[in-house]
Amino acid sequence: MRDVVFTRRSGWIPNVVRVDGELKLMLGAGADANHEPRTFMFPIEETHRAVIQEDLARHLLLWSAVLPLCDAAGTRGRLDEEAAVALLDPVLLSAPGDVDAIFRRIPWARGRLVAHGADIDLLERGQVWAAMRGATETSDGKRAQKYHADRRRAERGTVLGPLDSAILMYTGQYLHGSTVPKRKSDAVDPALLPEVLRVVATAEEACAGMWISRDPRRGKRATDKRDWTRMEAAVDAAVRRAHPELVDDAVRTVTFLMCSEAADRSRNTPMTPMEDDGRAAGGPAASGDRAGKAVLSFTDDKGLEKKWRRDQGRSADAEFWEFVGDRSAADNEVFTIEDEEMGEGIQLHFYADSAARITTVREGAGGTDPEYRVEYCLVDGVRGYRSLVTAFVRGGCAALERHGPWMADVADFERARRRRGAA
């Protein structure tokens, strides 16, 4: 039978319980293999209970010292009770100087003390006892997260200035650099907000007119990595030139903000450069081009076929890339567009950044197989593929000539591929 002897308002701070007549300290820490919280207990004496109940600072210090032992127990191991009990007297009953000394020799959970109001400067100087003079029973998790984020930066040699910190707060990336950035003006000190917005305006001006188009080779909502890299480089250079005092973390978060917003616009806008290649190339939009193919067949490497007809309304380009976005996968990276009436087609090899144009030289007759001419070319990213598709839709294999060079000799083509791979 277990009875609670002493507990604080915050449920996570260790409780004193009595189990079959024996006093124990009980705390929750870590998780088991099913991600459920683990509970640990170890015996204490009445003298320890009295200090725990009367002295919040020592109670929190003991918690901080025991947590690494709980972490060491893992998802199913046993708590090292002997080591836990050995901490009781030094932490709860020793003089302040001795407490500092024990914390210089053992691992302890810094973030836990920071969350409960410890003075960070004193903690960093090893004055653990003095740091806990302002300890609070309530916990501030964000304060601990900020502390850990600052320590990680310090380990990399990064020290944030006020504007750097404000920019990271503005994008929501102060605590976690992998968080998708957003614009959070209310998170910034009003006195610094105008400076932050000037930096953001510099970034916006640097990428004005640029876009990050979708890359259906990697799924319906994937975006073009090359477009991302291009915009990232432009923003990075402009921000560093205009604001040389900013640290790398601040510059990176602004470039990430610009690129992620551009990618979101592409994903959420019905008409994108992927579907409007003609306009991007300076010609009439493909969706309005009625001089191109009338009927086309799309197939993938799994044998699935889809027919497109001009009278369906949407352009062949848009229908084909939607087909690719729906079907493309690691084991499905070859897609073909065929004009059966003209006896020609183009095959895209996404896995090899290459393509083949196929024309019928002689129709099969009398039981003989038809004869085809196959020519290969290297392709430069998804924009190169979009240009090939648009050209074929409008003018067939003849319109692909300027997108070469096209190589009929497979050995020549393989040598070209290897040269590009080595460059």
Side-chain angles (χ1 to χ4, degrees):
M1 183 175 178
R2 184 173 72 199
D3 297 315
V4 176
V5 176
F6 172 71
T7 185
R8 296 190 184 274
R9 290 194 304 273
S10 175
W12 283 103
I13 300 177
N15 299 324
V16 178
V17 298
R18 194 180 301 277
V19 180
D20 297 332
E22 183 180 18
L23 281 179
K24 294 192 175 188
L25 193 69
M26 182 178 74
L27 68 155
D32 62 19
N34 295 319
H35 306 289
E36 296 293 331
R38 294 200 69 188
T39 300
F40 299 93
M41 290 190 290
F42 59 94
I44 64 173
E45 301 294 337
E46 179 62 30
T47 53
H48 303 135
R49 193 275 316 157
V51 175
I52 288 170
Q53 187 165 340
E54 297 299 325
D55 194 329
L56 171 64
R58 287 192 186 259
H59 191 181
L60 294 171
L61 286 168
L62 178 62
W63 188 17
S64 173
V66 172
L67 280 173
L69 298 177
C70 299
D71 291 339
T75 59
R76 62 183 66 185
R78 295 175 59 85
L79 177 70
D80 186 343
E81 286 193 10
E82 185 176 337
V85 170
L87 292 169
L88 292 171
D89 286 356
V91 175
L92 297 178
L93 306 178
S94 295
D98 294 331
V99 172
D100 287 347
I102 188 67
F103 272 78
R104 285 194 291 269
R105 297 196 304 270
I106 65 170
W108 48 286
R110 291 173 179 266
R112 180 52 50 201
L113 300 184
V114 172
H116 283 272
D119 185 295
I120 293 174
D121 290 336
L122 292 175
L123 278 185
E124 293 299 316
R125 293 202 296 266
Q127 298 174 252
V128 179
W129 175 266
M132 297 304 293
R133 280 196 294 256
T136 60
E137 190 168 325
T138 57
S139 173
D140 184 349
K142 287 188 176 180
R143 185 173 190 256
Q145 288 179 324
K146 182 177 181 296
Y147 171 72
H148 284 304
D150 289 337
R151 279 182 64 87
R152 289 194 299 270
R153 291 189 184 96
E155 289 169 359
R156 301 191 265 114
T158 298
V159 178
L160 300 180
L163 181 56
D164 300 311
S165 298
I167 290 171
L168 289 164
M169 289 292 189
Y170 178 80
T171 62
Q173 288 201 301
Y174 191 102
L175 302 180
H176 304 290
S178 59
T179 303
V180 175
K182 299 184 182 299
R183 302 186 185 222
K184 304 171 69 173
S185 298
D186 57 351
V188 180
D189 182 342
L192 286 170
L193 184 57
E195 292 185 66
V196 171
L197 296 180
R198 277 195 289 273
V199 174
V200 173
T202 299
E204 289 173 333
E205 184 178 352
C207 61
M210 301 179 74
W211 70 83
I212 296 177
S213 54
R214 285 184 284 179
D215 186 349
R217 299 174 301 171
R218 297 166 45 233
K220 294 187 74 169
R221 291 181 58 79
T223 51
D224 187 353
K225 290 183 178 179
R226 295 192 182 194
D227 283 350
W228 182 294
T229 301
R230 215 170 358 249
M231 181 178 290
E232 186 177 53
V235 174
D236 183 277
V239 171
R240 290 184 190 278
R241 185 169 54 250
H243 307 278
E245 74 281 7
L246 296 179
V247 301
D248 288 346
D249 288 32
V251 176
R252 277 196 295 267
T253 197
V254 174
T255 60
F256 192 8
L257 176 66
M258 296 298 108
C259 291
S260 63
E261 288 182 343
D264 280 343
R265 287 193 295 271
S266 176
R267 295 186 188 104
N268 298 320
T269 302
M271 180 65 74
T272 70
M274 181 185 75
E275 296 180 82
D276 196 12
D277 290 310
R279 189 174 302 162
S287 57
D289 182 14
R290 292 294 183 252
K293 301 292 187 179
V295 180
L296 293 172
S297 174
F298 309 150
T299 55
D300 65 5
D301 210 22
K302 302 288 187 180
L304 185 71
E305 182 178 15
K306 179 179 181 179
K307 291 285 188 182
W308 171 85
R309 291 177 173 80
R310 182 187 296 170
D311 58 8
Q312 289 176 342
R314 291 187 74 196
S315 71
D317 308 58
E319 288 285 351
F320 173 72
W321 288 119
E322 183 173 293
F323 178 70
V324 171
D326 287 335
R327 299 287 300 166
S328 184
D331 61 346
N332 194 20
E333 296 186 288
V334 178
F335 288 79
T336 302
I337 308 176
E338 185 178 359
D339 181 342
E340 295 176 357
E341 182 180 353
M342 296 298 295
E344 59 184 12
I346 182 171
Q347 189 173 74
L348 313 180
H349 313 132
F350 295 149
Y351 66 92
D353 288 330
S354 65
R357 66 175 179 179
I358 306 164
T359 53
T360 303
V361 175
R362 179 179 56 80
E363 297 285 351
T368 63
D369 293 330
E371 181 182 346
Y372 300 103
R373 177 177 175 80
V374 182
E375 299 167 290
Y376 303 90
C377 78
L378 300 174
V379 182
D380 186 17
V382 69
R383 287 194 180 192
Y385 280 117
R386 288 201 299 267
S387 295
L388 287 177
V389 169
T390 298
F392 180 79
V393 166
R394 291 177 175 182
C397 282
L400 297 175
E401 190 62 37
R402 67 186 181 90
H403 295 282
W406 295 90
M407 291 163 269
D409 187 282
V410 175
D412 288 344
F413 174 65
E414 287 300 325
R415 282 191 289 272
R417 281 185 59 191
R418 286 196 293 271
R419 283 195 300 271
R420 180 176 65 176

